Structures are given as C-alpha cells and as structure tokens.
Amino acid sequence: MDAAKDIETILEFSPAAVEGIDEAIVDTMKLRRGPDSVLGLPEGKAFLYVDLDGQNPEQVAGEASRLLERLAANGRMVDGRAVPDLVQRATLWRVREDGAGLSSRPASGGESQAGWEDSAVAPQNLASYLSDFRDLLAEFGLTGIMYGHFGAGCMHIRITYDLRSEEGRAVFRKFTRSAADLVVRHGGSLSGEHGDGRARSEFLPVMYSPKMVAAFETYRGLWDPAGILNPGSMTDADPMDANLAHEGIPQREWRTHFELRPVEAAAAGADPWVHAVQSCIGVGRCRSDAGGVMCPSYRATGDEKDSTRGRSRTLQDMVRGAKSIDEGWKSKDVRETLDLCLACKACSNDCPAGVDMATYKSEFFSHYYEGKLRPMSHFTLGWLPRWLKLTTLISPLVNLVLASPLGKVVAAAGGLTTHRKMPKFASRKMLRKELAPHDNPSSPADAVLFVDSFTKGFRPEVAGAAARVMESTGRTVACESDACCGLTWISTGQLDTAKKLMGKAVAKLDDGSDTPIVVIEPSCAAALKKDAPELLGSEAAERVSHRIRSFAEAVKEWVDGGWTPPVVPTDVTVQTHCHEYSTFGATVQRKALAALGVANVNEATGCCGVAGNFGFEANHYDISMKVAEQALAPALTKTASDVPVLADGFSCAMQIKQLDPDRKSLHLAELLDERAPGSEMQ
C-alpha cells in the first residue's frame, strides 16, 4: 500500500443501496477521463470505490459483475474488479480511511492543507459543482486532492495552499470565501459531515440569512451567557485564517544529521526539520488500541503525550518557539515527551502521514546531549558493539560475573534493569567455527551475508545457519563480519559516531556489484536500508541500500526463484521485528512463511517491548513489559509447546525468554537449517 502515497487523487463512492446505482456511477466516472474531464486527471489517476451491500452474496456478486460490464462498455473505466475477500476489502478501505494523511504530502511536492474538506451538495448536483470548483482552483493556481464521499455528495478536499507566506494566506482567505459562495450557489453546505468549527464559522452568513444567524446568537446567549463553550465557533466567529499552525514560525536553520526530504521541504518553503515535524496533521491513528503496531507506548500508558501525535505536537511547539517550549534543541520538556518513544519505527509505516518519530527522537537526542553528560545506558548499550569486541575475548569470565550476585551490581551501575537476565556472551572462536566453512573470499560470491554485532556477540550459531541456508539455494556466499551499521549509536542519538561507522560499513559493502546483501538482524538491515542514505546522503549509501535484504525478504525471493526449501512445520508463531515491519513491509514474515508452505501463522502483531536498548534500561523496564502484554505475551500463551516460535530480532528473542524462560525461540535461518539446534521441531 506504500504506492498509495503517490496517488494524486483518491475517490470514494458509497451508495446506500444497490438499486438505481448504475446511472449515478456512470455520471460520476465521466469526471475522470477525456480531454473534457471535469477534474483534468490523467488516465488511471483515481480510485472509485463502490461498496455493494446485500443479504445474498450471490446476488451482490451478480450486481458487481453487471456493474463492471456496464462501466467497461461505457468506456470510462481503466480497470475494475470485484473484491469479495474481507481482508482485501479492509486493506483497500484503509487507503480511503487514511485519505487525509496520504494526501497531505502530494507526490508533486509541497504540502496540501485542510480548510475546505467538508463541503457538500446533493449528489445529483455533484458533477456541476465539481466542474465549477475545478475552474475555481485553476483561477487561484491551486490543486485539490479529493478522497470522498461521492455517493453522498460530501467532498473531502485537501488543497495545496501555501500557508507559510503572507501572500499564500491571502490566497487561502480569498479562495475560501469564493468556495463558500460556490457551494451555496449549488444548493449545498459548507459543512457536510464534521461541523463548522473555526475553519468555516466566519462564512456561515454566506449560507444562512441574517435572521437565522441572529437566531443562533440568541439561542447561544440563552445557554452560554458567559461565552465559555467553544468560543470562536458558530457565533462571534474567529477569522478563519487566525491561529494557523504554519504562520509565525521563526525563520531559522535547524541543522540536522539526517537528510529529511530536503527537496519536498524546499517545495513547501520550509526548513527540512520544520517540514518533517509538521507532517503530523492529527489523524490520530497512533491512538488506536488494535491493528498495526503503533504506538506501543500510547497503548501501554493511554496518555496522549505518549502517542506519536502527542510527540509531534510537542516538536511543533518547539519549532514555533512556543513559550512553554522555548529552549529548542535543549528543551527538557521535549526530551521528557520523547523519553518513552521505543524508536520502533512503526509510525513510519502505520501513520498515513509518514511520521517517523524514531528518526526525530534520534535527531533531537543528538543535539540535546551535545555538551551534556549522557545517561550511563547510552555508554553501556549505545556502545555495545565496542564492548563486544572485548567480551568475545573473555566471554567465559564475563558470563561468570554476570551470572553471579555481582552481575546485578554491574547492571545497575550501567543504567540497566536488574529484572532481566543478561544474555550470555559468545566467544570469537564460536563465530570463527560457524563462518569458516562458508566464507571463501577468493571466489566470486552470489550473495553477501552481513553478520551484525548482535549475532557475533550473542548468537553466532544463527550466522552459521544463515550461511548454510543460503548455500542450500545454490549460491556462493561471502561473509562480512567486520563492519558495523551503527544502529545502537543511532537509537541513542550519538549520530556523529553512527555516521562514521556507517560510512565505513558502506565503503566495505559498496564493491561495484549488485550482489544482494542479506542481513541476519532485521534492525541492522533497516539501518543500512533506510538510515544510511538519510544519514550519509551519498550515492554509495543509496547503492548499498538497494542491495539490502532482510533474511525473511531474501527467503521469499529464493522461493519465488525456484528454490525448494526443506520440510517446514505446519504451525509457527512469529514475532516480526518492528524495524523489519516498517522498512521491509508489514507482511514480510508472513509472506516468507506462506511461500515456504507454513499453513498456520500465529503472528504477534505488535512491538515486543525491548526495542533495542529501551527494554534493558532501568527506567523503562515496566513500560517494556506492558508493551509485551499487548501482542507478544498473548501469542505465546496460545502457542503449544511443540510449535516453533520465530524471532529474527535479537531484542524480540530476549523478550520471549523473559516472558517464557522455558521456551527457545528460533531465527528463521535456524528453522530452515536442518543442522541447527531446534530443527527437530520440524
């Protein structure tokens, strides 16, 4: 569904009944195509949804077929199909439900704004209204992006106003007054669904007579003599262009490490940081308690400030220079608001406006702690790949200390929770044993296996399993085990170091080939795929990014390419890593398992709660476990003891161990490797 973000216009038609629907749809479809198109849309640039209801499925299917035939014969339909499957229908309707967010950043660049999202006319007047409305948009040099509801004649239209300049705001006011005149002229209403509010109240006298407006004022005066109930709306209205979020933002350059869509920001006339944090338009999908993954911290606390939207509002106050938050990068209030963000990145996938709070948090922390003493966990966990170089040399001693009573003292001193059992550190010898038979740099490789710090330091057996599975597909494998993606420095906001490490990794991987790079740890794969181009801004990083595959993604490609996998179990439970979910697709694990032939997949759709360093930090342990209770814990409860549990992410595997100490989770590579421990469950 990512392609929906590039759709120029989204249309919906939702009639109340099947009877008599044909003529209305045919008339509406005429708006789409041809040189005299009312909307002037290129062919195939709109979706028209028709929801047919009925008690008899066969009758509804027949109506759908007849309707498609009628539309095809009319010549106004590019393509069409009936969608009886409930899951597919829900996916399609998700596009419509997210219309406001999806259309807030047009593919053509710049921004679209609310302000005329609720006008309505009688359906039989819709074609003539839209024809005149299109002329009005052209008169003011604006583009309108529509996403519903044609069946009711109620139009949600986001428009490419420039609300950041005085000239643009003047156009906004003049256009809105003209649009109010237009909809009334067509016998319609300024507000068809959501009420008048501050956006339209000023122009209610265009629609109502002076006598009716006076009646409103008298009635309100009787019930609200003090004028405290929603002042500024309906009566004594505030100017419709007062208190605009994009007005009065101090002109300054916000220096950032990440490249935050600079081209789009320039088209919108905004600083990239300002443009990024203002991407949230308040849709509120992050406040849901089911479906998707975001926002795990909000689902745990139920507090608005812990939602993606709440954090966005705080960052927006920061760039506006609000009195409550006037310290910019050094604001303690902003730091507190971002504290419980798990940096799971789910919002970058689930938010229809594409808010990426994990990136914003990392960027803010980088500036906030510049010249300040960081929390100890930023050194113990943030510098983990450096410590692992030492622990692999003395792993028996380290494991002995951590397993003793002294282990809790060491953990507490490092800012870590004492409620978790620390993982056992692996030795360098173990990694060499796993990789030596498979790494032959003298021969050309068909694929590169990127062995990350977590795999090297804690579970080298997964590296061996991954290499064997890759070789079983007929590929020669080159192992890269010396580079670091810089993930732990990114998650703790130590971006100068992250860029250095990531730059070295990119230099090693950018060998001039297009050989796929398969990354064992999903979070490291996401860092190289998404963060590297945004942090480094180099062509080399872009080239490497295009070659990166998560292990599950690679498995799907191998099966599609003809590889015959080993026998797999009928049932599995899987915890998809949040970074893999957000960067490689929400269904990447499910698709891989389906391709392998796994019949029943019990997926824990949600964050595990550890999220890298978050769940190991002493002050975050309780929230971490509350997050685990949302999806992972119930999924484990439903899983029989003989059913494999998959967790490609090391953090996810640690949380599973915390919730169920007697259960061993597997990486997908171990499930497919007949020699790996635990493969007997196959």
Side-chain angles (χ1 to χ4, degrees), residues 109 232 244 270 355 392 398 441 479 533 561 626:
L244 295 176
V355 173
T392 54
V398 174
C479 298
K626 286 183 179 180

Side-chain angles (χ1 to χ4, degrees), residues 643-655:
V643 172
V645 175
L646 299 181
D648 284 5
F650 177 69
S651 295
C652 305
M654 290 302 300
Q655 188 72 305

Side-chain angles (χ1 to χ4, degrees), residues 511-524:
D511 56 6
S513 74
D514 58 357
T515 305
I517 303 169
V518 181
V519 186
I520 296 173
E521 170 63 39
S523 58
C524 296

